[in-house]
Amino acid sequence: MVDDIDRQVVNALLRDGRASARDVAAETGVAATTVSRRMDQLVESGVIEEYTPRLDYQELGYEVTAVFQLSVDGSGLVDVTERLRDLKNMVAVYEVTGSHDIVAVGKFRDTNEMNARIKDLLTDPDVESASTSVVLNTVREHEQFPVDDTDA
C-alpha cells in the first residue's frame, strides 16, 4: 500500500528522476534513510518500474510520428500486439475498445521509413485494416503526473 511518504518520494522523483535519496530527503523533509528504504520498496513492489532518461526523438533525427489504428482478426490480436511491441521504433502499443483493436504510435526518421512500416502492417495476414495518422505537432508526450491522496 502506498502512503503519503511514498507519494512524496514518487513526486520528488517525477520532478527529478536523477535525485539521490539525500536530495529527495531534503525536498520532502523525510529522513534520508527512510527515503532510501522507501525508494527500494517502491522499486521492489513495481510502483517504480525503472529509472530511464526521457529522449527527444526529433532531436535524434526521428522527424515523423505516426499513429496506427488497426483492426485485427480476433485470433491474431496477441500475435500482432507482440510483433508491434518488439519493433524498436514503436513507442506505444495499446489494445483498445471501439472501431479498432490496436492503436500504436511509432517514431520514424522519415516518411519512407514510415511507409515501409505501413506496408508491413497492410500485408500482415492478421491485420484486416489499418488507418494511419501523421502527427503534425506534438503538444504533450510521455508525461507523467504527480500522485495525491485522491488517486489511492
Side-chain angles (χ1 to χ4, degrees):
M1 182 76 176
V2 175
D3 64 14
D4 288 337
I5 293 173
D6 292 331
R7 286 184 194 88
Q8 289 178 47
V9 170
V10 166
N11 289 336
L13 290 170
L14 283 171
R15 287 187 284 281
D16 181 1
R18 293 175 48 169
S20 67
R22 184 176 298 153
D23 296 335
V24 173
E27 180 178 337
T28 61
V30 176
T33 55
T34 300
V35 168
S36 180
R37 185 173 40 81
R38 294 297 184 105
M39 288 170 66
D40 290 343
Q41 289 172 344
L42 289 165
V43 170
E44 288 173 17
S45 68
V47 171
I48 295 175
E49 294 179 352
E50 60 186 42
Y51 296 90
T52 183
R54 185 176 302 177
L55 302 177
D56 182 334
Y57 284 99
Q58 190 164 3
E59 290 294 322
L60 293 169
Y62 293 85
E63 300 289 330
V64 179
T65 300
V67 179
F68 303 97
Q69 296 177 315
L70 308 174
S71 295
V72 178
D73 174 62
S75 62
L77 184 62
V78 171
D79 291 338
V80 173
T81 56
E82 287 177 1
R83 285 194 295 271
L84 289 168
R85 179 197 62 214
D86 293 340
L87 294 172
K88 73 170 183 112
N89 59 333
M90 288 296 170
V91 296
V93 178
Y94 306 100
E95 289 183 24
V96 298
T97 62
S99 59
H100 297 91
D101 302 303
I102 298 172
V103 173
V105 180
K107 302 279 187 183
F108 305 95
R109 293 189 184 277
D110 53 36
T111 55
N112 289 335
E113 192 175 270
M114 179 193 65
N115 285 335
R117 178 63 54 231
I118 292 169
K119 289 175 184 171
D120 289 344
L121 291 171
L122 291 174
T123 58
D124 186 313
D126 293 319
V127 175
E128 295 173 344
S129 67
S131 172
T132 305
S133 299
V134 175
V135 174
L136 298 177
N137 183 32
T138 302
V139 177
R140 181 178 165 113
E141 184 173 65
H142 305 297
E143 296 300 320
Q144 298 189 70
F145 54 89
V147 294
D148 59 35
D149 291 334
T150 60
D151 292 331

